[in-house]
Amino acid sequence: MGFISLEVQAWVAALASLMVQSFYLVLLFFMFSLKTNLPSPKMSETKELKNLPASPAETGYLYHADYHDSCLVATLVHLAIEGVTSISDHYQGWLIQMEAPCPSSRTSEERLLFQEMFKNQKTFLVEREKPNSFIKLNESFQAFLDKIYGKKLTRPHLEGVLGSAVLAVFGGFLTWNANNCSGTLITTYSAVSFILVYVGTQILRKPTPYLFQGYEMTSRIRSKIMKGPDSAKGTDEILEDYFLYLPHAISLEAGRFWTIATAELLKSRGVDPTTIEPDWYSGGSRGLMDIISLIDGLLGCLKAK
């Protein structure tokens, strides 16, 4: 019985230390999360947006506070609208074709995407059934955006994680000096403590001014889009606004709404939206409605991953 009692004392020291570390991290998580909630999209509205961010991908990244598949689709559409590429329906999916060299004035992520698609050829096929190359492209694009934008969004609460690390070291000291402590026990304790500290660095994060300001800006853009096109403008201006906002609408998960709202306004003026076919996309005979199919189809391929 004495031997069992001594063995239990070592395990009790280890378990008690791990429980204290866990409680500490949970407490910090709730304290920080209560102070750093993002503002509601409803707080930011505007009647007119004269300037848009150069990158629809950054817009989507800021709005979602993380990478979202719509960032890739928005960038593909943006490149096409800018005349760098073109998109057409293919019996296997969609064919993206190089139309011009990607200029240095384009954003770094657009240049990366262009290079990844057209490494050794001038076309890139997105297959519906087995979109393996498209999914791989998305993974590369995500890794790039995480690298250039992810670090700007959040920063670890180092003081909180440091406290967890101190508790881990102190608990290890107590466990090591407890009666009948085994090498297996101290190894297991060290591994679990490392996991707790690592998880703490991932979840104890504080939004930066870049994220707050970016979220407010992207919320204004989305608010503008969700109001629909300006009915006071002429048909040509409505179409100009439609294509201007479309990539950003896609990255903000409002591409379908923006397209339908524009089509309905044009139809109310006697303009058949099915006759409006952009020169950058050939997808059938439904005009603007084909763009909805394109957006949904590309996003659907990425959901298959």
Side-chain angles (χ1 to χ4, degrees), residues 184-211:
T184 301
L185 173 60
I186 199 67
T187 300
T188 302
Y189 169 83
S190 300
V192 176
S193 290
F194 174 80
I195 292 173
L196 285 174
V197 173
Y198 175 78
V199 170
T201 64
Q202 303 303 309
I203 64 175
L204 296 178
R205 293 180 176 271
K206 178 182 178 181
T208 63
Y210 170 73
L211 177 55

Side-chain angles (χ1 to χ4, degrees), residues 97-115:
Q97 184 167 332
M98 180 198 303
E99 295 295 337
C102 189
S104 58
S105 58
R106 299 254 57 89
T107 61
S108 57
E109 59 265 28
E110 289 179 338
R111 295 197 304 271
L112 170 86
L113 190 61
F114 184 88
Q115 294 170 2

Side-chain angles (χ1 to χ4, degrees), residues 88-95 125-129 281 301:
S88 59
D89 273 4
H90 188 274
Y91 71 95
Q92 290 181 305
W94 299 270
L95 189 67
L125 178 62
V126 179
E127 298 179 273
R128 284 191 183 90
E129 298 300 324
Y281 175 56
C301 287

Side-chain angles (χ1 to χ4, degrees), residues 181-282:
C181 178
S182 65
T184 301
L185 173 60
I186 199 67
T187 300
T188 302
Y189 169 83
S190 300
V192 176
S193 290
F194 174 80
I195 292 173
L196 285 174
V197 173
Y198 175 78
V199 170
T201 64
Q202 303 303 309
I203 64 175
L204 296 178
R205 293 180 176 271
K206 178 182 178 181
T208 63
Y210 170 73
L211 177 55
F212 275 119
Q213 295 168 9
Y215 186 79
E216 183 178 357
M217 173 192 66
T218 56
S219 295
R220 288 200 304 270
I221 297 173
R222 196 174 193 278
S223 176
K224 160 68 179 178
I225 290 170
M226 296 306 290
K227 290 179 179 179
D230 188 350
S231 59
K233 292 186 176 182
T235 300
D236 291 341
E237 289 181 298
I238 290 173
L239 282 172
E240 182 180 346
D241 283 352
Y242 169 72
F243 291 116
L244 174 66
Y245 285 103
L246 179 59
H248 295 80
I250 294 171
S251 69
L252 297 171
E253 294 189 284
R256 169 181 280 270
F257 172 85
W258 181 239
T259 302
I260 292 176
T262 301
E264 290 180 346
L265 178 58
L266 292 174
K267 193 173 181 179
S268 69
R269 295 186 173 190
V271 179
D272 186 357
T274 63
T275 63
I276 300 173
E277 297 184 6
D279 54 7
W280 54 268
Y281 175 56
S282 55

